Amino acid sequence: MLGGHGQFVADHAAGAHHVAFLRSSEPHAVITRIDTAVAARMPGVVGVFTAAGLGLCGVPIPSLTTPDPQFTAATSCVLAEQRLSILASDRVHYVGQPIAVVVAEDRYCAEDALEAIEIDYEALPAVTDPESALQPGSPVLFDHLDGNEAARLRYSFGDPERAFAAAAHVVAGTYRMNRHGAVPLECRGVLAHFDPRRQRVELTTSTQVPHMVRNAICAVTGWSRQDIKVSVPDVGGGFGTKANVYGEEILLAMLARRTGHRVIWVEDRQEHLVASAQGRDQIHRTRLALDAEGHIVAWADDFVVDIGAGSLWVAGIIANTAIHLLGPYRIPAADIAGRAALTNKTLVAQYRGAGRPEATFALERSLDAAAAALGLSSDEIRRRNLLTDADLPYARPIPYRDGVPISYDGRDYRACLESVLESLPRDEMTPCAATHPQYRIGYGLSCYLEATGRGPHETARIRLLPDGHFEVTAGAASAGQGHETVFAQVAAEALAVPMEQVCYVPGDTERLPDGVGTFASRSAILAGSAVHKAAHELVELATGRAARLAGADEADVQYTDGRFHVAAEHSVSWPELARAAALGGDQESGGALDVTAVYRVPTVTWTMGVHAVIVGVHRRTGIVKVLRYAVSHEGGREINPKIVEGQIIGGVAQGVGGALFEQWRYSASGQPQSTTFAAYHLPLSTDLPYVRVRHLHVDTPVNPIGVRGAGESGTIAVYSAVACAVDDAVGGGFHVDSTPISTGEVFRALEAS
Amino acid sequence: MLGGHGQFVADHAAGAHHVAFLRSSEPHAVITRIDTAVAARMPGVVGVFTAAGLGLCGVPIPSLTTPDPQFTAATSCVLAEQRLSILASDRVHYVGQPIAVVVAEDRYCAEDALEAIEIDYEALPAVTDPESALQPGSPVLFDHLDGNEAARLRYSFGDPERAFAAAAHVVAGTYRMNRHGAVPLECRGVLAHFDPRRQRVELTTSTQVPHMVRNAICAVTGWSRQDIKVSVPDVGGGFGTKANVYGEEILLAMLARRTGHRVIWVEDRQEHLVASAQGRDQIHRTRLALDAEGHIVAWADDFVVDIGAGSLWVAGIIANTAIHLLGPYRIPAADIAGRAALTNKTLVAQYRGAGRPEATFALERSLDAAAAALGLSSDEIRRRNLLTDADLPYARPIPYRDGVPISYDGRDYRACLESVLESLPRDEMTPCAATHPQYRIGYGLSCYLEATGRGPHETARIRLLPDGHFEVTAGAASAGQGHETVFAQVAAEALAVPMEQVCYVPGDTERLPDGVGTFASRSAILAGSAVHKAAHELVELATGRAARLAGADEADVQYTDGRFHVAAEHSVSWPELARAAALGGDQESGGALDVTAVYRVPTVTWTMGVHAVIVGVHRRTGIVKVLRYAVSHEGGREINPKIVEGQIIGGVAQGVGGALFEQWRYSASGQPQSTTFAAYHLPLSTDLPYVRVRHLHVDTPVNPIGVRGAGESGTIAVYSAVACAVDDAVGGGFHVDSTPISTGEVFRALEAS
């Protein structure tokens, strides 16, 4: 429901003390001195805390990832132990890393106090290039490691070496997707206070993963689960950067308890651009082998992920990339290797797609290079390789990250290509050219395949309220995805009651002590299925109550149309059950009609789609403008078509940003150079055309509500589709190999042609 | 636990808009014009609301009382319908009555706006004397009534007329206990906001009866129970005045929803002294008949209660007075009549004792008059009439207010008298006289009997937390009585676990949708028993779980020492059950170990006690000083002796205030004259001596935890005990017949002697 009542975390600042962080100005250095004495004496300052003062010297942000052993074995996956400190005390690893924290009566005092903290550094050589970082002889970031490798994996199947040797065509490339990320409308924000009645800290944080935040706080502080309650406020966008657990969240919890004050920290934009987890930043070195007709015979990729000074999600990102490198194509042999490198940059987390856009870019660009070499169109090369109804379901000889062997559960991926070609025909280039004579027009395509709905589980709770309405909660937190609407719909449908009788309330770690979170296009599937399951369990529980109330046998009670039918002419309603369970009712001592369900998904379900785009490349400047855009995708049941469409369109917008504008640049010495929106360019609404979305409904058997994830799929194929179209527009063999697409390179190519 | 973390409601004002009330300056008048236009335009003013603007014209504060039909029949009880408006629109009935309400950005703006509201009155004759109010021809306050009688009752037993005619001695008197009341450290305060997520108002109010407040708001607004959540903050004292439901609470809920702002109202002290419910204000016309040896043969009283412009609790106050008029004595015949009168004064509610001190004053003063007439000492007249172990249990031929026939369940009331005489012997007057030569010394006694633990029921909830600790909640709200400690103790004992494993959290109407409240010395009995019951139900529920976990038969599982013993060498602990019930545990789908219990008490249990006091009357000024004080009482099991003792001592302090200092005075025209602490005199700590408390433990069979109420009993007998001592000190037949005891009258008596 759109009520205009949303609030930012900063709207809750009344009565709170403000927290501000002193952050490292150095990319890599030893801290030789921190003196907080002057700052601590400043008026309005409640306290200045360092790692030493909080007992946090050397204490790292706890790790989140526990990779599946079957996947680990199949991919020879090795993870290094990460030890990025919550507060740096002896060494800093990136510009923006928190070193000290001030609690003050207001933000002004807090910021002034930051400037009064004296700190001396002894600079160390900064590591900024991920490939160099992995070379022997590179400076090493962390003493407990031999080098800067944070993770590695490798898998192969078929006989790639023989296939490469025998292939009619082999195209090789190096593809780079530069560092960019979520940049939500609302930066991060955390509010915490100590409740003396319950002797616990209550923390409100703009997170996608409240239970992980709770677990991390408990792990660091040694508190039990009752000592901390984590709630999620309205969140102005997450997109993965808020699926991280941050040191700031742990610190606010500690400071609330330590100072006894209500404390708030609201990240400002400049801070956000160096302190919140960033995304992408991958280099892929690829080889694609094809037969004379353009059928893929082998595929090899060796990629490196730059995770900055750390990533709690490194296992997920590297695995996601490796798995999605195979795309929706028949690939008989592959050799995939990936590594993650530690560098002196801001940490990296999953960002909408989380490895999938990078993998898709490498594969789709390779296909386009092959098409050019074979003289095939961008649709024909794909048509020849896409899986069809004859192939599907299609098994891959590797397990997914949940250990279950991969099997694509789609219907006909080639039909999806034909759908988008019908939705946005190449012919439309002609009217585009006529309308935009100053642009060279190009047409681009990209397929994608996305594993959605990652497990292992999610929780949901439904309780019957005193007037017969229902309150629904799920473990997955909303960052603006419309959980309030969608989960109310799922519950209303499962309960066969009008949606007005269902109120979705956001979960917290008290209401639902266990939960996972919102990421990996999983909420509708996992939490939706958990809500569905809870509704059925509630009906089951209530059927017994209704039977007793009616004096009937439970087996004779049928639940239909929102009522418990005992006989043709007699039925029991939910309000009657609520009254019976209330004080003075016949079933007063029967316990609440309140069910918490856990839904476990066996494995992911796969969403496939194709993006088509027409771009214009400005003849004089090389500036790229997206003129037409279409998405066709094999989705599951749409609980709420408007929300699915909104996810796709929003995803396209973020993809266009990444393809054309967004980049966190660093100097060679590791200084961030994109610390304002003047330097980090976000797409404007005028950079986006209308997006034509075609939803090809394909049931999935993996979950009871037939849903496939769509939260990230809008983004994944945008980079490669736009690159394909720019190639087409520029012509002359021009081939985009990195994003954001360089206007300078395009300009020089136009000049040369 | 004393943590120093308590907060006043005003401490939660950050971020809230302030509410202020325009209150009537007239005791009785017709409102001819209200103009809020100027006020509404003032800077910082969000809105100015009258009854008309809120749709509240003529809408009264909902009634709380539903008297028991058996009691009503036995006492011919008749109640008039009360219609005191939430906001006065056409007529005002007392100075302090709310007429309009301002919402503004701060309290300053709000108060300024109040002054800009224009209001014209047409004065009506004020009714200030309750006996005159009941006479034919008196001006009538409410048009829907014939007169000013709000309630009446009468009962008799034995043959009082014949007994009076045949008696050796009859003493008659008129006893007045003037208007005074709770005056807690913290005035009232209400905070409300609209939660758009749940589409409900969340109201925090310093009440003793959150569920009644919720019900009243629903009744007035038509909202369902889900539309409003009422919570109770730390409360700085209640004593009955906060057991009322106030129009301000209803209005704050409406304003939060209407304005969308977080709104707060904090009653200031001047406001409190005219706007919060007051207490007492009774006139008793008595006749006591005795035989030649001083045994009571008949007792008659005709009393009038001045309830001001209304009392939601009138039925309770008049019934309480009538029932407690019989005291702990053998009384073979009685004729008791009572009426409640409406007058143009602030409304009246129960105040610590709620009719019992007034009744006790009338009866005990009559006994003292009889003692004087017979030449008996104050102890001897009581000794001859008190019930003893030979009499008890002792039935009265009337039902209690719950319909159950009255039967005193004490052990030996005369023994209690002997106890207090031993605790504070008359001999101590000698050293007192030596130490205080400027005072005339007197010794006083008073017995009391109190029905405690009024039903019908109370609720409690206990849930097992993830680490095996317990969270306990009860429907009775704490106003500082130490529920956090006492109910944690009850739960810990019932669960046989250390108290550190139990956390009591205050109830709210969401956590516990049903509950009654804290008043009538009922919390320990009712809510304590509900906690006890919930603990046993939780153990029962958990026994089945433990059995399944151990693979044993439920019948073979014994719960002792906080563990479920399956066999000699095997047991299951609460943390193990919690882990089994948590996500991933063996009993994950078994539901939460979370029990809500309702405890229904069959009837009240009776607490009897005797107070003894030595006072000094200043020879030159007549000022009375309490020098020694002792209380002996037949209490039940003391869950927490410190808290029981604190209740007794605090009760004595409030009783001394009422006996000697406190009075809300009104002019003949109905203007309140005690609107500051310069005019309303509270006792100081220096006005109280050390209080010697003797607890005579007498089990009660009425509740499972063996508790008798003690919340009010410290107050009940103070007035009559002090009056008895003053008589003794002044001598010469001086007889106190009203409170506060008039220093002027005492002075004049000293002069005369």
Side-chain angles (χ1 to χ4, degrees), chain B residues 8-10 12-13 16-19 21 107 186-193 201-207 213 217 228-231 233 242 246-254 256 262-267:
Chain B
F8 291 103
V9 173
H12 301 282
H17 281 47
H18 283 258
V19 171
F21 291 92
R107 182 70 175 257
E186 184 185 21
C187 298
R188 289 183 292 142
V190 189
L191 184 67
H193 75 277
V201 170
E202 299 191 350
L203 184 105
T204 302
T205 177
S206 59
T207 188
V213 172
I217 291 169
I228 173 85
K229 173 187 168 188
V230 178
S231 311
K242 292 181 186 165
Y246 286 97
E248 289 94 342
E249 292 167 316
I250 299 167
L251 288 165
L252 266 279
M254 294 177 73
R262 186 179 172 85
V263 288
I264 191 169
W265 168 65
V266 176
E267 189 183 49

Side-chain angles (χ1 to χ4, degrees), chain B residues 1 481-482 484-487 489-490 493 499 524 637-647 695 707:
Chain B
M1 192 173 56
Q481 292 94 337
E484 297 81 356
T485 305
V486 170
F487 296 148
Q489 279 185 275
V490 172
E493 187 180 305
M499 199 174 150
R637 196 171 72 87
E638 295 182 293
I639 301 169
N640 189 310
K642 274 275 169 219
I643 286 180
V644 176
E645 192 184 23
Q647 285 280 17
H695 187 86
V707 170

Side-chain angles (χ1 to χ4, degrees), chain B residues 138-179:
Chain B
S138 165
V140 173
L141 271 72
F142 293 92
D143 288 342
H144 72 285
L145 298 178
D146 291 338
N148 297 314
E149 186 180 282
R152 66 156 60 229
L153 58 68
R154 180 165 189 168
Y155 70 87
S156 67
F157 58 80
D159 190 344
E161 279 322 300
R162 206 165 77 182
F164 274 112
H169 303 276
V170 174
V171 288
T174 299
Y175 297 104
R176 177 154 205 154
M177 190 171 284
N178 278 302
R179 181 175 280 239

Side-chain angles (χ1 to χ4, degrees), chain A residues 1 5 14-15 196-198 224 226 232-234 457 459 463 465-467 505-506 510-511 514 583-584 588 598 600, chain B residues 5 14-15 196-198 224 226 232-234 457 459 463 465-467 505-506 510-511 514 583-584 588 598 600:
Chain A
M1 192 173 57
H5 296 292
R197 287 179 164 191
R198 285 195 176 73
S224 92
Q226 281 86 252
V232 179
D234 296 333
H457 55 252
T459 56
R463 64 189 187 103
L465 298 175
D467 71 350
V505 297
E510 182 179 23
R511 219 167 264 277
D514 292 289
L583 188 128
E588 173 189 284
V598 184
R600 290 187 169 78
Chain B
H5 295 292
R197 288 178 165 190
R198 286 195 176 72
S224 91
Q226 280 86 251
V232 179
D234 296 333
H457 55 251
T459 57
R463 65 189 186 103
L465 297 175
D467 72 350
V505 297
E510 181 178 24
R511 220 167 264 277
D514 292 290
L583 187 129
E588 173 190 283
V598 184
R600 290 186 170 77

Side-chain angles (χ1 to χ4, degrees), chain B residues 351-366:
Chain B
Y351 164 52
R352 205 170 194 169
R356 300 179 188 89
E358 300 92 312
T360 302
F361 189 68
L363 175 58
E364 296 285 319
R365 287 278 71 203
S366 298

Side-chain angles (χ1 to χ4, degrees), chain A residues 85-102:
Chain A
S85 294
I86 295 171
L87 278 178
S89 55
D90 53 354
R91 189 164 169 184
V92 290
H93 289 102
Y94 65 95
V95 173
Q97 186 174 11
I99 298 171
V101 52
V102 173

Side-chain angles (χ1 to χ4, degrees), chain B residues 14-365:
Chain B
H17 281 47
H18 283 258
V19 171
F21 291 92
L22 178 74
R23 298 180 181 277
S24 174
S25 60
E26 303 304 307
H28 199 191
V30 171
I31 298 172
T32 55
R33 188 178 71 100
I34 307 176
D35 189 342
T36 61
V38 173
R41 285 195 306 268
M42 289 173 67
V45 172
V46 171
V48 181
F49 303 92
T50 60
L54 293 170
L56 287 177
C57 286
V59 176
I61 301 167
S63 173
L64 299 176
T65 14
T66 43
D68 177 80
Q70 276 182 271
F71 176 81
T72 304
T75 60
S76 314
C77 182
V78 179
L79 298 177
E81 187 199 346
Q82 293 197 34
R83 291 199 195 156
L84 188 62
S85 295
I86 295 170
L87 279 179
S89 55
D90 53 354
R91 189 165 170 185
V92 290
H93 289 102
Y94 64 96
V95 172
Q97 187 174 10
I99 298 171
V101 51
V102 172
V103 181
E105 284 168 11
D106 59 40
R107 182 70 175 257
Y108 307 99
C109 295
E111 300 262 358
D112 288 349
L114 291 185
E115 294 187 12
I117 298 173
E118 293 170 32
I119 181 156
D120 293 342
Y121 300 101
E122 206 168 82
L124 296 170
V127 176
T128 58
D129 179 72
E131 291 187 320
S132 309
L134 295 173
Q135 295 299 320
S138 165
V140 173
L141 271 72
F142 293 92
D143 288 342
H144 72 285
L145 298 178
D146 291 338
N148 297 314
E149 186 180 282
R152 66 156 60 229
L153 58 68
R154 180 165 189 168
Y155 70 87
S156 67
F157 58 80
D159 190 344
E161 279 322 300
R162 206 165 77 182
F164 274 112
H169 303 276
V170 174
V171 288
T174 299
Y175 297 104
R176 177 154 205 154
M177 190 171 284
N178 278 302
R179 181 175 280 239
H180 63 286
V183 195
L185 186 64
E186 184 185 21
C187 298
R188 289 183 292 142
V190 189
L191 184 67
H193 75 277
F194 181 68
D195 175 359
R197 288 178 165 190
R198 286 195 176 72
Q199 291 284 306
R200 74 175 180 193
V201 170
E202 299 191 350
L203 184 105
T204 302
T205 177
S206 59
T207 188
Q208 301 169 238
V209 288
H211 297 86
M212 292 185 192
V213 172
R214 189 261 324 266
N215 295 349
I217 291 169
C218 290
V220 169
T221 58
W223 300 349
S224 91
R225 285 185 167 199
Q226 280 86 251
D227 299 332
I228 173 85
K229 173 187 168 188
V230 178
S231 311
V232 179
D234 296 333
V235 176
F239 311 111
T241 193
K242 292 181 186 165
N244 217 28
V245 172
Y246 286 97
E248 289 94 342
E249 292 167 316
I250 299 167
L251 288 165
L252 266 279
M254 294 177 73
L255 293 171
R257 182 137 184 182
R258 185 161 179 134
T259 66
H261 293 297
R262 186 179 172 85
V263 288
I264 191 169
W265 168 65
V266 176
E267 189 183 49
D268 69 27
R269 185 60 70 184
Q270 198 162 9
E271 207 173 16
H272 178 80
L273 290 168
V274 298
S276 279
Q278 303 178 349
R280 314 282 191 248
D281 214 352
Q282 299 194 2
I283 303 167
H284 290 252
R285 298 190 183 275
T286 64
R287 283 187 301 145
L288 182 67
L290 305 101
D291 65 16
E293 287 76 40
H295 299 113
I296 298 168
V297 294
W299 165 235
D301 185 18
D302 187 354
F303 65 92
V304 172
V305 186
D306 180 345
I307 63 162
S311 173
L312 300 177
W313 289 107
V314 63
I317 292 170
I318 196 170
N320 250 10
T321 307
I323 288 167
H324 288 87
L325 270 166
L326 302 174
Y329 303 108
R330 255 174 264 104
I331 297 182
D335 182 6
I336 306 294
R339 285 171 296 162
L342 291 159
T343 63
N344 292 116
K345 300 181 194 164
T346 293
L347 44 85
V348 159
Q350 48 190 0
Y351 164 52
R352 205 170 194 169
R356 300 179 188 89
E358 300 92 312
T360 302
F361 189 68
L363 175 58
E364 296 285 319
R365 287 278 71 203

